[in-house]
Amino acid sequence: AAGNAAGSYPLTDGSAILWGGRASQQILIWTDTSLWAMNYIGGTLIYGFVQLGSKCGLISPLGAAIVGSIAIWMSGLTFMWYNGTVQELDCPVRDIVYKNLNLAQASKIVCSTNTQFSEIRWDYPSLGATENDSYVIVHYGAQPMEWTFGTNSGGVIVARTAWTDYSVFGNPIAVDASGNLWFHESGYSANGVALPWLIETSEFDITDGQDIMFCDQIIPDQVLTGGPIAIWVYAQRYPNDPVVYPTDEPYTVTSSTQVIPARSRGRQLSLRIDNSLGSIGVFWRMGALRLRIAPDGRG
């Protein structure tokens, strides 16, 4: 009407506005193909609009998060972020997520923040699933950023359909596809039972894989744990061979463990630390592991 300053502005890149949120000194608006900034300019127009990026639209209405002056989101092709400019995130697990994503249910993807640990998380439906059953997390406080991922398995529900961050009301609270409410970041168990978790390295070799290597000793560094944790050593003679490991694995590690008498032989090795021992309510921390490795002939 003539008596007010209401108006409209066409965003010329995209067919739908999916989400908008307040960032530092501006409002960010995502369409299905682009990112825009809305800034207060005063005068008769009140707000001005600037396109920040194209071919970077949002994959779902809840697929983005804004933390301070940065925004991170999931587009139809990859993970993106904005910190003055729109850039593609270097994500080592991108193919694991996108090749296992049910695009027909992509509108259910939920992006959440866990600012207590500088994490942004996406829960998504995998191939064949109609509800969120998998997740991927980026630790944006690390340089370079660190990624992890997981999925519902063994009756353990890890994916979420809604999430509210840590606030004055307490720890994060989330909901799963079955309607259960979860109180996060409280204790070190899964509702009183052993919490399944794992950390696994990529494969490593010596002399670019020309030599077979033999590992006979692992020295854990500065282990702090309230109970035993497990370490596995995986070995492969050739990259396409099945993974093999000694019959006495996993190796049990506690705060008093000095040396692990590992005996593994292969062209490439990898390590896994997990809770296969079933420890309940255990917090643990470990420094840099040392491995004694020697060439053991060429294969």
Side-chain angles (χ1 to χ4, degrees), residues 27-263:
I27 304 295
L28 297 178
I29 301 172
W30 281 265
T31 72
D32 54 347
T33 61
S34 60
L35 174 64
W36 296 73
M38 183 174 78
N39 299 283
Y40 176 76
I41 60 175
T44 57
L45 296 178
I46 312 299
Y47 288 100
F49 296 82
V50 177
Q51 184 172 355
L52 301 175
S54 61
K55 298 181 181 179
C56 61
L58 201 53
I59 195 170
S60 73
L62 296 177
I66 299 174
V67 181
S69 60
I70 72 169
I72 299 180
W73 69 98
M74 193 172 175
S75 75
L77 298 174
T78 188
F79 295 93
M80 310 290 299
W81 76 313
Y82 172 74
N83 188 16
T85 59
V86 174
Q87 304 172 56
E88 180 178 335
L89 272 179
D90 183 15
C91 176
V93 299
R94 175 191 174 279
D95 284 352
I96 294 175
V97 175
Y98 278 85
K99 289 182 179 180
N100 190 42
L101 172 63
N102 185 353
L103 289 174
Q105 301 291 330
S107 61
K108 297 179 180 179
I109 294 173
V110 175
C111 182
S112 313
T113 59
N114 190 350
T115 52
Q116 187 177 5
F117 295 98
S118 300
E119 292 178 349
I120 293 178
R121 164 184 180 135
W122 292 267
D123 291 272
Y124 64 93
S126 65
L127 289 174
T130 58
E131 301 293 342
N132 292 348
D133 67 339
S134 303
Y135 71 87
V136 58
I137 297 175
V138 59
H139 178 206
Y140 61 85
Q143 293 297 327
M145 295 185 184
E146 299 168 345
W147 296 79
T148 186
F149 61 93
T151 188
N152 295 345
S153 63
V156 179
I157 301 175
V158 296
R160 304 292 181 249
T161 59
W163 177 288
T164 180
D165 201 357
Y166 182 88
S167 68
V168 294
F169 300 106
N171 288 3
I173 299 175
V175 183
D176 65 29
S178 298
N180 300 307
L181 285 172
W182 294 85
F183 189 60
H184 281 254
E185 313 302 350
S186 176
Y188 304 105
S189 69
N191 197 26
V193 299
L195 180 68
W197 53 261
L198 67 91
I199 297 176
E200 189 170 333
T201 72
S202 60
E203 295 83 4
F204 56 90
D205 55 34
I206 58 176
T207 63
D208 292 329
Q210 298 300 316
D211 286 319
I212 301 297
M213 55 181 163
F214 175 61
C215 174
D216 69 344
Q217 193 176 94
I218 301 175
I219 302 176
D221 176 41
Q222 298 179 353
V223 178
L224 173 64
T225 177
I229 60 175
I231 290 185
W232 305 73
V233 183
Y234 295 147
Q236 290 174 287
R237 186 174 181 86
Y238 297 100
N240 291 328
D241 281 351
V243 171
V244 294
Y245 49 90
T247 56
D248 56 350
E249 293 191 17
Y251 304 111
T252 300
V253 179
T254 68
S255 298
S256 60
T257 302
Q258 294 181 324
V259 178
I260 300 172
R263 295 185 64 84

